[in-house]
Amino acid sequence: MAEKQVIITDYTYEDVELERAILQEAGFGLTDCKLQTPQELIPAVRQADALIVQYANINSEVINSLEHCQLIVRYGAGIDNIDLQAATAKGIFVCNVPDYSVDEVSNHAIMMIMAFARRLPATSKYLSSGGWWDPAIGQITRLAGSTIGLIGFGRVAQMVARKLAAFNVNILAYHPRRDAAFIEAKGAQKASLEEIAKHSDYISLHSRLDEESHHLVDAEFIKNMKPSSYLINTARGALIDETALLEALRSGRIAGAGLDVFETEPLPKEHPLLKLDNVILTPHCAWYSQEANIDLRRKAAQEVVRVLSGNMPANLCNKDALSNRS
C-alpha cells in the first residue's frame, strides 16, 4: 500500500519539522508548500490524503479537485477560509484546533479592557510629549461595578468571564445556542445583542465568523452603544463593519476600540485606523505565545495521524460529513 501523503498548503513558521516528525513516526509522508490561491493549490494538492492549512483559500474548486482526501485541518480555531459545505458534500472531515491559545486570547482581550479602563494610550502619549499627570487627559473610572458584554460564549469568552470575576464586574453574554443556565453557571448573565450594546461599558467579541455573524457589529449595533463604551475584537475582523466603526470612532460616537483582527490582513499601511488616537491595534497576535505556537502545530499534526490511522477526529467541525463518506 502506498504511503499516505499529507500536504501543508501554507505556513508562517520557520519550518514544519515538528509536524514532520509526528507524521513520519506514524508512517505518513509530508510535503510542505507556500501556496495560498486556488490556482496554485489545485495541481499541488490533488493527490493529498490530508491537508493542513493556515491561510490558504480552500474553496469549492480546490475541494472538488481532491481525489482521495480524508480531512482538512486548520492551523487555528477559525475555519472561514475553508468551504465547509463543499467539504461536507464530499465527505471530507474539516477539523480545527480550538483550544491551543484560550489563555493567550483571553488575556489579550482583558489587557485591552484594562488599558482603556486606566487610559493607558492617552496617559502614555501625554507623558511622552513632555506632560505629567493631568485630569484633562480624561476621566478614569473604576473598573469594579462596570458592565462587560461578551458576544460569543465559547472557550475564550468563558475564560474571560472566569478571569474577570475577580474584578467585581457585571458580565453579560450573548450566544445564540447557549441557554441561560449554562451561561449563569459560567459566571455571566444571558443577554441579547441589543442589551449588550445598550448596557455594556466594554464589549468583547468572541464569535465565530459565518454568514450570520458577518458584520454582526454594524452601524445599527454601534448606534445603540453608550458613547463612553469601548469595543474589543480578538476574534475575526469581519465581525465588525469597519466603515461604521471608523465613523463612530472619528465622531466620538463610542470612546474607543481595541482591535487585534481586521477585515483586510495584514492591515494596509495607509489604513485610517492607524491615524486614530482612540484605538489600540495589535497585528493578529492575541493567539501567540511560544507555548501556544507549539501546541497548535502539534495538535494539528496529531489530528491528521488520528484520522489517517482510522480513528475519529477530536475536533470535527462538519459532523454531517460522516453520512457522505464513501
Side-chain angles (χ1 to χ4, degrees), residues 59-105:
N59 66 8
S60 60
E61 292 181 359
V62 175
I63 289 168
N64 290 331
S65 76
L66 298 169
E67 296 185 359
H68 45 80
C69 184
Q70 296 185 46
L71 80 157
I72 302 168
V73 182
R74 170 89 208 292
Y75 277 129
I79 54 169
D80 42 284
N81 59 321
I82 301 170
D83 190 322
L84 197 65
Q85 185 175 358
T88 300
K90 200 162 182 178
I92 299 173
F93 289 153
V94 175
C95 305
N96 64 350
V97 186
D99 57 352
Y100 70 101
S101 62
V102 173
D103 190 54
E104 287 80 3
V105 178

Side-chain angles (χ1 to χ4, degrees), residues 102-147:
V102 173
D103 190 54
E104 287 80 3
V105 178
S106 60
N107 284 345
H108 204 91
I110 293 170
M111 173 197 70
M112 287 184 165
I113 291 171
M114 297 292 187
F116 283 125
R118 299 303 304 166
R119 294 192 62 81
L120 290 188
T123 53
S124 177
K125 182 177 180 180
Y126 190 67
L127 180 62
S128 298
S129 65
W132 192 241
W133 165 242
D134 188 332
I137 293 171
Q139 291 185 346
I140 296 178
T141 58
R142 184 174 291 168
L143 184 63
S146 65
T147 297

Side-chain angles (χ1 to χ4, degrees), residues 40 54 66 117 155 243 246 259 290 296 322:
E40 296 172 318
Q54 190 170 33
L66 298 169
R155 290 175 175 85
T243 300
L246 276 165
L259 307 173
Q290 293 182 18
L296 172 61
L322 279 166

Side-chain angles (χ1 to χ4, degrees), residues 186-260:
K186 300 293 184 180
Q189 178 183 345
K190 186 175 176 66
S192 66
L193 287 172
E194 184 177 1
E195 288 170 333
I196 285 178
K198 286 184 175 180
H199 301 300
S200 298
D201 300 292
Y202 305 90
I203 297 173
S204 188
L205 304 184
H206 302 283
S207 176
R208 63 186 294 179
L209 179 63
D210 53 29
E211 289 183 4
E212 293 181 4
S213 63
H214 184 266
H215 285 185
L216 190 68
V217 175
D218 57 11
E220 184 66 23
F221 181 96
I222 292 170
K223 186 176 72 174
N224 288 324
M225 290 173 63
K226 299 196 292 188
S228 58
S229 62
Y230 295 89
L231 183 64
I232 311 296
N233 190 7
T234 55
R236 283 290 182 267
L239 293 173
I240 299 175
D241 180 342
E242 282 184 6
T243 300
L245 176 62
L246 276 165
E247 183 177 344
L249 291 168
R250 285 167 170 161
S251 66
R253 179 64 195 79
I254 63 173
L259 307 173
D260 182 60

